[in-house]
Amino acid sequence: MSITIRRSLERGRTSWEWLESRHTFSFGEYFDPAHHRFSILRVINDDVIGPGAGFDMHPHRDMEILTYVLDGAVAHRDSTNVEGVTGVGEIQRMTAGSGIMHSEHNASTTDSLHLLQIWIMPGRKGLKPGYERRAISWAKPWTVLAAPSGAPGTVSIAADARLLAGRPRCGEELTLELESGRVAWIHVVHGSVHIGGNGLVAGDGAGIIGEDSITIRADADSEILVFDLPVVE
């Protein structure tokens, strides 16, 4: 098994008056050829946005963009005349497709917003832009948040990928099964876990290659995201 560890404090950083962001992979002015993407997973941005602040209208295209809120709520508006507010316990998907303009702002004028913005490369270009938001239906051991076909409590993405979440209690072990030809990226949302002898804490990530079964042991009550992805040459 090959494990690539990406430590939280080694991630790229953007620091503005209203934004503190950590970049697992290259993003914007931050470029790291050793951490440009993993399979078709292109971006994991860990953003803390100040009260009432956010990203004004800007363009995207040919990307599946997921938003996972850790604290607070994000207000979305786009050029297809869709508006929505996504909070904790929900998952949001925007298909940029052939081109879309959108804005994302902290829905609160008093409290900070903490979210993960995730970009996944689609299976084909030029898709019709779209937006979807779902309440998460938590399950054990794994909750599927996003998948190509969609399902109750998930959003549908136009990519060969699944996003799963696990919430192991301290001392609990989770097993992740991967089919042949698949790899995984694991992101620790909070808590601490052990994977293949490696300890990971909040913000850390791990790329898993060449393994069909992975055991994740929680050293504290934790939450982790797992991206099930294809092998890409």
Side-chain angles (χ1 to χ4, degrees):
M1 176 171 64
S2 170
I3 302 180
T4 300
I5 303 298
R6 180 64 156 150
R7 295 296 179 190
S8 175
L9 295 178
E10 296 173 351
R11 295 178 294 177
R13 183 184 181 192
T14 294
S15 183
W16 297 340
E17 182 179 353
W18 56 270
L19 171 70
E20 283 291 333
S21 183
R22 291 284 186 173
H23 315 300
T24 297
F25 306 107
S26 296
F27 183 83
E29 295 182 356
Y30 169 67
F31 178 72
D32 182 348
H35 298 96
H36 187 59
R37 65 181 173 91
F38 183 83
S39 178
I40 59 172
L41 176 59
R42 179 61 187 83
V43 167
I44 303 177
N45 285 348
D46 190 340
D47 294 342
V48 177
I49 300 170
F55 302 95
D56 293 332
M57 278 287 184
H58 59 281
H60 291 288
R61 66 183 304 117
D62 293 326
M63 199 67 66
E64 296 292 276
I65 300 175
L66 301 174
T67 302
Y68 187 68
V69 178
L70 308 183
D71 191 29
V74 59
H76 166 96
R77 183 166 63 91
D78 66 44
S79 54
T80 69
N81 296 318
V82 169
E83 297 185 20
V85 176
T86 301
V88 177
E90 298 178 299
I91 182 77
Q92 172 184 299
R93 183 266 302 164
M94 184 179 75
T95 294
S98 58
I100 195 169
M101 298 282 291
H102 85 132
S103 66
E104 286 188 313
H105 287 84
N106 186 344
S108 171
T109 59
T110 57
D111 300 313
S112 293
L113 163 66
H114 187 189
L115 58 80
L116 298 177
Q117 187 172 94
I118 297 154
W119 295 8
I120 297 174
M121 299 161 64
R124 61 186 178 89
K125 296 182 178 181
L127 295 168
K128 180 180 179 181
Y131 172 87
E132 185 180 13
R133 184 178 78 250
R134 299 288 186 195
I136 297 170
S137 300
W138 292 102
K140 285 284 191 177
W142 297 105
T143 299
V144 181
L145 303 180
S149 59
T154 77
V155 293
S156 179
I157 54 174
D160 182 15
R162 291 193 307 154
L163 172 58
L164 302 91
R167 289 178 156 182
R169 307 283 293 183
C170 182
E172 185 180 355
E173 290 188 346
L174 297 182
T175 299
L176 176 67
E177 305 288 348
L178 291 174
E179 295 181 358
S180 177
R182 308 295 290 181
V183 296
W185 185 271
I186 298 171
H187 179 88
V188 181
V189 176
H190 65 74
S192 59
V193 300
H194 259 81
I195 303 172
N198 298 277
L200 286 83
V201 298
D204 287 350
I208 312 294
I209 298 174
E211 190 66 27
D212 57 10
S213 181
I214 306 155
T215 299
I216 302 164
R217 188 187 78 236
D219 300 320
D221 290 353
S222 302
E223 182 173 340
I224 56 177
L225 297 181
V226 175
F227 299 85
D228 179 346
L229 304 161
V231 172
V232 176
E233 298 298 331

XYZ file of all heavy atoms in Angstrom, residues 68 142 164-168 174 186-190 193 195 216 222-226:
172
model
N -19.236 21.751 1.595
C -19.548 21.011 2.820
C -19.325 21.956 3.990
O -18.199 22.368 4.261
C -18.645 19.776 2.922
C -18.972 18.838 4.055
C -20.155 18.100 4.064
C -18.084 18.664 5.117
C -20.444 17.226 5.089
C -18.365 17.776 6.154
C -19.551 17.069 6.128
O -19.844 16.207 7.151
N -20.709 4.202 6.899
C -20.385 5.274 5.965
C -21.662 5.924 5.457
O -22.655 5.248 5.188
C -19.584 4.738 4.769
C -18.250 4.173 5.126
C -17.899 2.852 5.191
C -17.081 4.913 5.479
N -16.584 2.717 5.559
C -16.054 3.973 5.748
C -16.793 6.272 5.597
C -14.771 4.350 6.118
C -15.509 6.655 5.974
C -14.520 5.701 6.229
N -17.779 10.057 0.571
C -18.371 9.406 1.738
C -17.908 10.119 3.007
O -16.830 10.728 3.033
C -17.967 7.938 1.824
C -18.306 7.028 0.643
C -17.158 7.011 -0.362
C -18.577 5.608 1.115
N -18.704 10.016 4.054
C -18.341 10.570 5.355
C -18.473 9.489 6.415
O -19.392 8.665 6.374
C -19.225 11.759 5.704
N -17.533 9.493 7.366
C -17.587 8.596 8.510
C -17.429 9.383 9.790
O -16.699 10.377 9.833
N -18.124 8.933 10.829
C -18.056 9.604 12.130
C -17.735 8.580 13.216
O -18.577 8.276 14.068
C -19.374 10.311 12.436
C -19.629 11.547 11.586
C -20.973 12.169 11.925
N -21.017 13.584 11.577
C -22.061 14.376 11.802
N -23.152 13.874 12.365
N -22.025 15.659 11.469
N -16.511 8.036 13.199
C -16.169 7.022 14.200
C -16.004 7.630 15.591
O -15.482 8.736 15.749
C -14.842 6.465 13.684
C -14.238 7.612 12.931
C -15.396 8.324 12.289
N -13.123 1.790 11.369
C -13.917 1.733 10.146
C -13.092 1.066 9.058
O -11.883 1.296 8.958
C -14.306 3.139 9.682
C -15.195 3.981 10.596
C -15.502 5.309 9.930
C -16.476 3.249 10.946
N -8.352 10.670 1.754
C -9.036 10.814 3.041
C -8.691 12.173 3.627
O -7.522 12.559 3.684
C -8.613 9.687 4.008
C -9.011 8.323 3.424
C -9.250 9.882 5.386
C -8.453 7.138 4.176
N -9.718 12.905 4.062
C -9.534 14.214 4.687
C -10.145 14.167 6.086
O -11.317 13.798 6.251
C -10.206 15.318 3.862
C -10.080 16.681 4.466
N -8.996 17.500 4.214
C -10.891 17.364 5.326
C -9.146 18.634 4.894
N -10.285 18.574 5.563
N -9.362 14.536 7.090
C -9.854 14.543 8.469
C -10.519 15.895 8.741
O -9.863 16.937 8.703
C -8.718 14.293 9.472
C -9.273 14.281 10.902
C -8.006 12.974 9.169
N -11.813 15.860 9.005
C -12.567 17.080 9.288
C -12.300 17.537 10.711
O -11.983 18.694 10.969
C -14.067 16.851 9.067
C -14.875 18.083 9.454
C -14.341 16.471 7.617
N -12.443 16.614 11.667
C -12.069 16.907 13.053
C -11.751 15.598 13.773
O -12.079 14.513 13.298
C -13.162 17.706 13.792
C -14.457 16.967 13.989
N -14.628 15.956 14.898
C -15.659 17.118 13.384
C -15.865 15.519 14.863
N -16.511 16.196 13.944
N -7.184 10.250 13.815
C -7.314 8.860 13.398
C -5.934 8.295 13.065
O -4.968 9.036 12.890
C -8.244 8.720 12.164
C -9.632 9.241 12.466
C -7.655 9.433 10.951
N -4.160 5.646 10.233
C -4.315 4.925 8.970
C -2.963 4.343 8.604
O -1.995 5.082 8.387
C -4.801 5.852 7.840
C -6.119 6.538 8.212
C -4.967 5.064 6.539
C -6.554 7.595 7.232
N -9.337 2.296 9.350
C -9.159 3.621 9.942
C -9.582 3.527 11.406
O -10.727 3.190 11.706
C -10.011 4.671 9.205
C -9.641 4.702 7.715
C -9.851 6.046 9.844
C -10.657 5.393 6.849
N -14.307 11.471 15.900
C -13.771 12.088 14.687
C -14.813 12.153 13.580
O -15.864 11.504 13.640
C -12.558 11.294 14.179
O -11.537 11.223 15.162
N -14.484 12.938 12.574
C -15.261 12.977 11.339
C -14.282 13.002 10.178
O -13.331 13.797 10.188
C -16.172 14.203 11.283
C -17.041 14.254 10.030
C -18.066 15.376 10.068
O -18.382 15.869 11.178
O -18.542 15.764 8.996
N -14.488 12.133 9.207
C -13.583 12.057 8.060
C -14.397 12.029 6.769
O -15.526 11.552 6.737
C -12.670 10.817 8.128
C -13.492 9.525 8.234
C -11.690 10.919 9.281
C -12.661 8.264 8.223
N -13.791 12.576 5.724
C -14.345 12.475 4.378
C -13.454 11.557 3.559
O -12.220 11.619 3.677
C -14.413 13.842 3.707
C -15.313 14.901 4.345
C -15.262 16.185 3.522
C -16.754 14.412 4.476
N -14.063 10.732 2.726
C -13.330 9.812 1.864
C -13.798 10.010 0.430
O -15.000 9.988 0.143
C -13.544 8.341 2.282
C -12.866 7.401 1.288
C -13.025 8.098 3.684
